[in-house]
Amino acid sequence: MNRTSAFMVTCGAVCASVFSLGCSSSVAGGATTRVETSAEPREITAGQNITVACTILSGSGGILEGETSYTLDPTTGWKAHGDEVTISISGTYTVRCSAPEMDLEDTDGVEVVVTPGVMAQVGTRLEPEQVAVHEGSEVTCAIEDMYGNAIETGADFSIAVDEGVTLLGDTVSAEKPGSYEVRCSTQTHADLPEVPVGIAHSGLLWLE
C-alpha cells in the first residue's frame, strides 16, 4: 500500500470528548494546547466501522472549539463518512487527528487492527498481472474473505491454466501474446467459489 501520502477528513468543531494520548503546542499567554485522537473500537473485522473523535484540549484540560481533521495511514483500504470509517482491507492502521488552524497534530495517533472476515472465496493473485512473452508471473492462492483479504487456513491448492500457458511450480508464462485465465482451487474448502484472474501477455516487449 502507498504510505507516502495522507487523506484528510474534516471533523468539525469538536468531534467528541473521548480522548487518548496527543501532542501539545505552546500558544499566546503561556497556555499549552493539544489535539488528541480516539478511535473505537481498536480491533475490528474487515468491513466493520470505527468511530474517530478529535478533541482540542487546553493546558488545563478544558475542551476548546476549533476545526479538526484526521488521517489514516495506510491511505487505502478504507472509506470515511464523517466521523465513521469503514475499513475493508486487513492490517494495522494509524489514525491521527490535527487542528490545522492551530497548527496542532497528534503525531503518535492511535492504532486500529483489522483482521480478515469469514471465508468467502478461493482467490487467485498474480504478480505481476501483465508480463511480456516468455516472462513469468508468480501465482498466489489463498482462502479469502469477501474483500480479498487472505485467511491462513493451511489448505492445499492446485492451479489450473488455459491452453497455451506454461505452469512451472507457482510461476506461469506464455509463448504467444494474448489474455489467459489462471484459477486456484482446493479440495479443503470445495464449497467456496473460485475467483480466477486473467493474465495478459504482450509481445511488444519481447526481443529475440
Side-chain angles (χ1 to χ4, degrees), residues 45-46 88-90 115-126 129 139-155 157 182-186 188-189 191-197:
T45 299
S88 57
I89 303 302
S90 60
T115 56
V118 298
M119 294 184 294
Q121 61 194 26
V122 180
T124 306
R125 306 292 174 179
L126 294 174
E129 291 187 357
V139 183
T140 300
C141 301
I143 303 298
E144 299 175 339
D145 64 13
M146 64 182 297
Y147 301 102
N149 298 302
I151 303 170
E152 293 294 336
T153 63
F157 298 93
V182 180
R183 180 188 296 270
C184 291
S185 61
T186 177
T188 308
H189 300 282
D191 57 319
L192 295 177
E194 299 169 2
V195 183
V197 295

Side-chain angles (χ1 to χ4, degrees), residues 21-147:
L21 296 178
C23 71
S24 61
S25 175
S26 295
V27 296
T32 300
T33 59
R34 62 190 184 276
V35 60
E36 296 186 336
T37 306
S38 171
E40 295 294 340
R42 300 283 290 276
E43 295 185 9
I44 63 171
T45 299
Q48 294 182 334
N49 293 352
I50 62 171
T51 300
V52 179
C54 299
T55 307
I56 304 173
L57 296 177
S58 66
S60 61
I63 298 176
L64 302 178
E65 294 291 330
E67 185 173 300
T68 60
S69 60
Y70 64 89
T71 61
L72 267 72
D73 184 19
T75 60
T76 58
W78 53 272
K79 186 174 182 180
H81 318 270
D83 61 355
E84 297 287 322
V85 183
T86 305
I87 307 178
S88 57
I89 303 302
S90 60
T92 300
Y93 293 77
T94 302
V95 186
R96 297 184 180 92
C97 287
S98 63
E101 294 180 355
M102 304 179 72
D103 196 26
L104 298 174
E105 182 182 8
D106 184 352
T107 55
D108 292 332
V110 295
E111 288 190 346
V112 175
V113 177
V114 184
T115 56
V118 298
M119 294 184 294
Q121 61 194 26
V122 180
T124 306
R125 306 292 174 179
L126 294 174
E127 181 59 40
E129 291 187 357
Q130 182 166 341
V131 295
V133 171
H134 292 304
E135 290 185 355
S137 180
E138 184 176 352
V139 183
T140 300
C141 301
I143 303 298
E144 299 175 339
D145 64 13
M146 64 182 297
Y147 301 102

